[in-house]
Amino acid sequence: MNSMGQPIRRGIGGFADGVKYFFQGLGWVARHPGQWVFGLIPALIALVLYVVALVLLGTYAGDLAAWATPFADDWEPALRGTVRTLLGIVVFALGLVLSVITFTAATLAIGEPFYEKLSERVEHEMGGVDKTADIPLWRSIIRSVRDSLITLAYVLMFTIPLFVLGFVPVVGQTVVPVLGAAVSGFFLSVELTALAMERRGFGRKQRFALLRADRAAALGFGVVVFLIFLIPLGAVVAMPAAVAGATILVRTRLSPTPPPRTA
């Protein structure tokens, strides 16, 4: 049973529920355009920072490739240039992948006060929830950054091997994109549900455990967010809806009884 007294569906049904929560969040921000504009501010700041970083990466990708391949200095110019060009493309492609993966964490860290208020507003309209602890903003931001770095380490454990497998014929064009979307989607759910879960006193380990236990809904929600974030400017426009949807997901699928806080 979920917090609304309804049975929790698993498998395809749970996945569909996860997708539904995002669109409920989208409906919420559509009814509150002021909150949507409010939530755009940190996403726009993060976008500018990422665009600058990607431009710099694209500008110096060739230099990075040359630095990484000193053994090719004595090769034939044509072969050396081809190898370093391909490596530069791979470096930039990996940068793009990492930008998609880390954008949410960076935006949430930048916009902690913005998205905390937005999430609280969603909770208030759904009946409210008592905070388990009143944590200072600075400590909350530090903890958010710490947890995001730990989550990023987990993401890289999956993403780097999948990135390499992406160059394998057939498998790289079929299986890998599906697995990549699933991995990225799950960890997007981890990041986006953090605000509502922390409000209930769930620490990082508990949040991971709860989402693994309800993996279908976590994947449904995260995958649809991931696919929308792949659309140019989609991450910026949809971030407020993703935060609202994640709050609804937590409130609807999890027990309202706060557990003991752990690290």
Side-chain angles (χ1 to χ4, degrees):
M1 295 287 182
N2 60 21
S3 63
M4 308 297 290
Q6 301 167 336
I8 292 179
R9 299 191 296 171
R10 307 294 181 181
I12 298 299
F15 187 93
D17 286 343
V19 174
K20 176 187 69 178
Y21 293 128
F22 169 76
F23 285 102
Q24 287 179 349
L26 187 64
W28 188 90
V29 296
R31 296 191 302 273
H32 302 80
Q35 294 294 310
W36 175 70
V37 173
F38 183 69
L40 286 181
I41 296 172
L44 288 171
I45 294 172
L47 176 65
V48 171
L49 294 175
Y50 270 75
V51 168
V52 171
L54 287 172
V55 168
L56 290 173
L57 179 62
T59 301
Y60 294 104
D63 294 334
L64 289 173
W67 172 80
T69 56
F71 53 84
D73 288 343
D74 297 328
W75 291 4
E76 290 293 327
L79 178 60
R80 181 176 65 240
T82 299
V83 169
R84 288 178 172 172
T85 298
L86 290 174
L87 182 58
I89 293 172
V90 169
V91 168
F92 186 75
L94 184 58
L96 283 174
V97 171
L98 290 176
S99 69
V100 172
I101 293 171
T102 61
F103 183 85
T104 297
T107 303
L108 290 174
I110 293 170
E112 175 89 11
F114 293 82
Y115 295 124
E116 177 68 31
K117 291 298 182 184
L118 190 154
S119 181
E120 285 182 353
R121 178 78 180 272
V122 175
E123 294 266 28
H124 178 73
E125 289 199 2
M126 297 182 72
V129 63
D130 293 329
K131 289 186 177 181
T132 58
D134 190 11
I135 301 171
L137 177 60
W138 66 269
R139 184 176 295 175
S140 177
I141 292 175
I142 290 174
R143 187 178 63 193
S144 176
V145 172
R146 180 201 65 189
D147 289 352
S148 293
L149 290 174
I150 293 172
T151 301
L152 177 60
Y154 282 116
V155 172
L156 292 177
M157 288 173 56
F158 293 96
T159 302
I160 292 177
L162 287 173
F163 182 80
V164 174
L165 287 174
F167 295 96
V168 177
V170 182
V171 173
Q173 292 73 51
T174 54
V175 177
V176 170
V178 175
L179 291 178
V183 169
S184 299
F186 179 81
F187 284 106
L188 278 174
S189 290
V190 170
E191 294 284 358
L192 288 164
T193 56
L195 289 172
M197 286 196 183
E198 286 181 355
R199 190 174 298 119
R200 288 161 171 75
F202 291 105
R204 184 186 67 254
K205 293 179 181 179
Q206 292 170 308
R207 299 200 306 268
F208 269 90
L210 286 166
L211 287 167
R212 284 197 301 268
D214 202 355
R215 190 176 291 108
L219 286 173
F221 177 79
V223 168
V224 71
V225 171
F226 173 72
L227 293 176
I228 290 172
F229 280 13
L230 290 178
I231 301 171
L233 298 180
V236 175
V237 174
M239 181 63 76
V243 172
T247 304
I248 297 170
L249 185 156
V250 171
R251 186 179 182 89
T252 304
R253 305 276 301 194
L254 300 179
S255 169
T257 303
R261 178 172 290 278
T262 62

